[in-house]
Amino acid sequence: MFKSSWLPLAPALGEVLLLSKASNAKRRQLVVGNWKMNGSLNENAGLLAKIAAGWHGAHNADVVICPPFPYLMHTQNALLGSAVVLGAQTVNEHAKGAYTGEVSASMLADLDCKFVIIGHNERRRMQHESDLQVAQKFEAVQKAGLTPILCVGESLEDREQGKHLETISRQLNIVFAHTGKDVFDNAVLAYEPVWAVGTGKTATPEQAEEVHKFMRSQLGVLADSIRILYGGSVKAHNARQLFALADIDGALLGGASLDADEFLAICKAAE
């Protein structure tokens, strides 16, 4: 039901696992916590204190937390001295102007954000962000000296019709056409199947690896260096298996990032 009929499938899981050590040795794993519209000053204080205490000193993976805009400064202060980096959940594509309620990339840079999530499926669906707008945001983030985390992913309908790789290709190609591929050396990609985000469903290792492998094949000479994350109901119990795959370089987490113990267990699985 979930197999593509127009491109070859990824290697069998056993073959992929044999290749994973050589491939992943080139790329440092990354775990990104997207809090979405959750939290309060009270709740955040306890959560951040546990995360900061559990992720300090030297580690073999990178960790980013993306809180809602009102909590960026509070989060930044709470993470001082830890190895966790600050990120944002979205951005406006314009540098400045009469865009009430919007936030520019330079404003995020002022708050020492390092990463910005671009094109999350909820933004595409709920705020009707187009592929072109996502590409413009990608460019704005890079111009401000920040690293975009570009999200792509297919709907359940696309998956069931075997059009998932076609959808991923379209979403990537709009950005490639707008910016060129050479700028992707300062970017992170994230594959989040829409049908697996917040549903409790997770793509099988073979399904996830098929798409990650396909995405990497589209990157040309940068294919071996760019980190590609998986997002879609990643939990502590399945993180290690997913991270072992050759083309998966970490995770974009939603709900799991709101539980310090769960979040830290996933971060440790990435090392």
Side-chain angles (χ1 to χ4, degrees), residues 38-180:
N38 291 293
S40 68
L41 285 176
N42 236 6
E43 294 171 352
N44 298 353
L47 175 59
L48 289 167
K50 289 186 72 172
I51 292 173
W55 200 260
H56 64 278
H59 288 277
N60 294 321
D62 297 323
V63 174
V64 178
I65 289 179
C66 301
F69 285 143
Y71 302 130
L72 282 171
M73 186 70 79
H74 176 251
T75 301
Q76 179 197 49
N77 291 336
L79 294 175
L80 288 175
S82 77
V84 184
V85 176
L86 185 66
Q89 297 179 17
T90 187
V91 71
N92 189 272
E93 63 272 28
H94 298 97
K96 61 172 64 176
Y99 303 103
T100 301
E102 294 296 301
V103 174
S104 72
S106 63
M107 294 174 184
L108 297 177
D110 277 346
L111 291 180
D112 206 29
C113 280
K114 303 300 184 186
F115 293 83
V116 185
I117 299 171
I118 303 296
H120 190 279
N121 81 84
E122 289 160 359
R123 300 287 307 179
R124 292 178 188 264
R125 290 184 293 116
M126 298 176 188
Q127 276 68 43
H128 309 292
E129 290 186 2
S130 67
D131 291 337
L132 177 58
Q133 188 178 12
V134 170
Q136 292 168 336
K137 292 187 176 199
F138 182 99
E139 182 179 32
V141 168
Q142 286 197 324
K143 281 185 176 179
L146 309 179
T147 301
I149 301 172
L150 173 64
C151 300
V152 298
E154 82 281 5
S155 66
L156 180 60
E157 182 181 5
D158 287 339
R159 169 62 70 164
E160 290 180 333
Q161 293 179 0
K163 296 180 179 178
H164 52 296
L165 298 184
E166 184 179 343
T167 298
I168 301 299
S169 179
R170 185 198 78 235
Q171 292 170 337
L172 288 175
N173 282 328
I174 293 291
V175 183
F176 292 156
H178 189 75
T179 66

Side-chain angles (χ1 to χ4, degrees), residues 20-32 55 59-64 83 85 115 188 209 212 216 225-230 234 238-252 266-271:
S20 65
K21 180 174 287 189
S23 178
N24 279 347
K26 299 179 182 177
R27 298 181 297 271
R28 186 176 169 88
Q29 300 272 301
L30 172 65
V31 177
V32 180
W55 200 260
H59 288 277
N60 294 321
D62 297 323
V63 174
V64 178
V85 176
F115 293 83
V188 174
E209 176 64 7
H212 279 245
R216 202 170 295 286
S225 60
I226 295 175
R227 293 187 284 192
I228 306 178
L229 313 182
Y230 172 73
V234 177
N238 62 16
R240 196 171 297 279
Q241 183 183 22
L242 288 166
F243 296 163
L245 298 175
D247 292 296
I248 294 181
D249 306 315
L252 175 60
I266 295 170
C267 293
K268 289 171 184 173
E271 292 195 277

